[in-house]
Structures are given as structure tokens and as C-alpha cells.
Amino acid sequence: MSKVAAAIVIGIIGLVALIYFTMDFPFSLEREDFTEEYEIQEKWDLPQRLEEISGMDFVDDERMAAIQDEEGIIFIYNLTSKKIEQEIEFGKDGDYEGLALFGKDAFVLRSDGILFEVQDYLTKDIKVTEHETFIKAKHNAEGLCADLKNNRLLITVKDRDPLSNNTKGIYAFDLETKKLLQTPAYAIDLEDPIFSDVKRKNKLMVMMPSEVNINPVTGEIYITDGRNPKLLILSPDGDSKKLYLLKREKFYQPEGIAFKKNGELFISNEGHSDPANILRIKLQ
């Protein structure tokens, strides 16, 4: 084999390996014989505009604020009428991955770590401020929620933690200083025995957070993995408590978590051959 041919073969092998370990499409290596420890109690099929829903939060018991990961728009979706009631444009097209509401303000997370603060988001006189963080595109920020009790936001990274190869950090954005704190508020240990049924050649793929939120009743921290569907629950102190493996046919790509004040859990899924949806879930 000539040096040129050998170089081509090596290049192809390298490209295949890169695709295998880094491409952002769903595939499953988890065991398939697990028992479903949850019940889907209600389902909303979403309109085409929300086909790539990537974050959501409750405005009130009937209305959901949501984003999809290509447009700088906050959508207000009514769960009762099953219609989009309002569209709030806050920025240019981009890869938006998280949404959190804090009083009259909305916060939207872009995958490169930029946080958009949309003040008075439900009015015609919104004010948008961008906040830079130390999270970059290579880390792939995907999860965002409001931690009302501690006056902060929580942000998760999907691909690589800025500080460690053994954990995926959940970082706190202080709403008073408007800064992302360097030390993670919580950390997901990728070698935790709770992941014993999760088999990966690449340790960083054991848990790839797509969203984070806090149960308002228990204080527990919920994290979804959209690439290989699962739901991780941490105690209020950050200790691993329970891992739910989710069936691909019911959770194609779980990207959003929201809670009602009574603790009812809602998970959103990006669309594929079926429409995107929001599911009301009861965990067993």
C-alpha cells in the first residue's frame, strides 16, 4: 500500500472514530431489558414550530414558556388550548439549549455558555442583556434552571466539564453578581456505581446532561440525558439517589424538564418521525 493510500485509510478510520464518539445523534448502548419505572399520564404533541424543543418552564399552571434550539424566540404554549399564544423574539438564530424563569424575567442559555437575560419577558418592552461565562462551545452547555431558594441559576455541561474529566459539573450563576461561580455547586461522578447499567467506551458519554431542574417539593435535582434517554436524580445535597433508564420509543430525545408547584414532573422530547411532545410523568 502506498503512503498516500495508507494516509487516506488512516484518515477515514480517524473520521469514523470521531463521528462515533462525538456526533450529536441519539443511539443506545444501554441494556434493553430494564423495567419501566414510570408512567406517562398525559401527552401533548407540539406544533411544527416547536419540533426541536430544547427547554421549558412554567409561566403558570396552564402556560409553558419554551424555546427551540435554532431561533432566538421564547414561545408561550398553552397546555389547555394546545396552541402557541405568544412569540417573544430576544436574539438572533443560534443553538439555544436551556430556559429558566425567575419572576418577571426569563433566562436563555446558548450552547457556547452565553446567558441571555430577558427582562419583563411577557411585555412589549423587553430588555435583553448577554452574560458571558467561562463555559465555551467545546463544553456544550445544555441545561438551565432557576434555583429560587438560593437566588441563582444552575447550568449543566453536556460534553466536557471545564475543570474535570471524571465529573460533569452543575454550575451556579449568581443572580446578584451576575457571575458564574468557578466551583461547581454539584458534580455528577461519571464513575458512580449508579451507572453500572450504562456501558460506554468513552467515559464522558456515561451521562450527557441535556437539562436540569429542581423538584420544588423535595428539593431533589433532576437531570436528563437526551442522547441516551435517562433521568438522574440527586439528593438536595448532590448525592446520587436514583437513575431511571427511559425507553427510546417513548422518550426519543428528552431535552426539557419542568415542574408544577405541586411537584408534578413534565419532560419534553424533540421530534423525529413523530412530533415533538411534552409528557406528564409519574415516577415509581
Side-chain angles (χ1 to χ4, degrees):
M1 182 183 294
S2 69
K3 291 183 178 180
V4 173
I8 292 174
V9 170
I10 293 171
I12 291 173
I13 293 172
L15 179 60
V16 170
L18 179 65
I19 291 172
Y20 180 80
F21 285 112
T22 65
M23 271 192 74
D24 191 17
F25 66 91
F27 61 97
S28 181
L29 294 178
E30 259 95 59
R31 46 177 286 204
E32 295 294 333
D33 60 344
F34 62 86
T35 300
E36 296 178 76
E37 300 178 279
Y38 50 84
E39 176 188 349
I40 297 175
Q41 297 184 313
E42 201 166 358
K43 178 182 177 182
W44 289 263
D45 286 334
L46 299 176
Q48 183 67 31
R49 289 299 306 279
L50 287 172
E51 186 67 13
E52 297 189 26
I53 184 171
S54 55
M56 61 181 185
D57 202 353
F58 274 101
V59 178
D60 51 42
D61 278 349
E62 288 190 349
R63 295 183 297 163
M64 190 83 77
I67 55 169
Q68 63 95 13
D69 67 6
E70 292 183 354
E71 296 181 274
I73 297 173
I74 298 172
F75 298 86
I76 306 300
Y77 178 76
N78 190 304
L79 295 173
T80 302
S81 67
K82 300 181 179 180
K83 294 181 179 179
I84 296 172
E85 289 187 347
Q86 188 178 352
E87 297 185 17
I88 304 149
E89 187 173 347
F90 67 88
K92 299 177 181 178
D93 291 353
D95 187 16
Y96 300 102
E97 296 290 351
L99 170 71
L101 303 181
F102 205 103
K104 296 180 180 180
D105 302 333
F107 293 84
V108 180
L109 178 67
R110 204 166 62 191
S111 62
D112 61 358
I114 301 295
L115 193 62
F116 293 78
E117 179 180 359
V118 187
Q119 293 177 304
D120 296 317
Y121 73 100
L122 289 176
T123 72
K124 294 181 180 179
D125 300 316
I126 67 170
K127 179 183 176 182
V128 181
T129 305
E130 295 184 23
H131 302 286
E132 291 190 11
T133 70
F134 55 80
I135 296 174
K136 305 302 178 186
K138 64 182 179 181
H139 305 128
N140 200 0
E142 281 225 3
L144 176 70
C145 75
D147 183 353
L148 302 176
K149 182 179 178 180
N150 295 297
N151 194 40
R152 64 187 184 181
L153 305 175
L154 296 180
I155 295 175
T156 58
V157 294
K158 176 182 177 182
D159 290 341
R160 184 179 295 276
D161 188 274
L163 302 178
S164 171
N165 289 326
N166 296 315
T167 62
K168 296 282 179 77
I170 302 174
Y171 292 87
F173 182 86
D174 189 293
L175 287 172
E176 187 165 339
T177 63
K178 301 295 174 69
K179 298 292 184 183
L180 189 66
L181 305 184
Q182 288 279 346
T183 302
Y186 310 97
I188 302 168
D189 182 357
L190 299 177
E191 297 180 346
D192 193 304
I194 202 168
F195 296 116
S196 60
D197 286 332
V198 180
K199 308 302 180 185
R200 288 290 178 273
K201 294 181 180 179
N202 184 340
K203 181 170 62 178
L204 294 177
M205 297 174 68
V206 165
M207 185 72 190
M208 305 189 74
S210 58
E211 187 59 289
V212 61
N213 213 327
I214 301 171
N215 186 315
V217 176
T218 66
E220 294 168 332
I221 302 150
Y222 286 53
I223 305 114
T224 48
D225 182 332
R227 177 174 289 195
N228 289 279
K230 50 185 172 287
L231 173 67
L232 174 66
I233 299 179
L234 307 180
S235 72
D237 294 328
D239 298 324
S240 297
K241 187 172 182 179
K242 177 70 176 177
L243 181 69
Y244 292 88
L245 301 182
L246 307 176
K247 289 287 188 180
R248 170 73 64 192
E249 57 267 28
K250 297 178 181 178
F251 296 86
Y252 174 71
Q253 193 169 339
E255 291 282 345
I257 308 172
F259 288 98
K260 283 191 173 182
K261 292 180 180 179
N262 63 2
E264 280 188 306
L265 170 64
F266 294 73
I267 294 178
S268 65
N269 290 278
E270 288 193 5
H272 184 49
S273 55
D274 295 325
N277 61 53
I278 295 174
L279 304 175
R280 182 164 65 92
I281 309 296
K282 182 179 180 181
L283 301 176
Q284 297 176 3

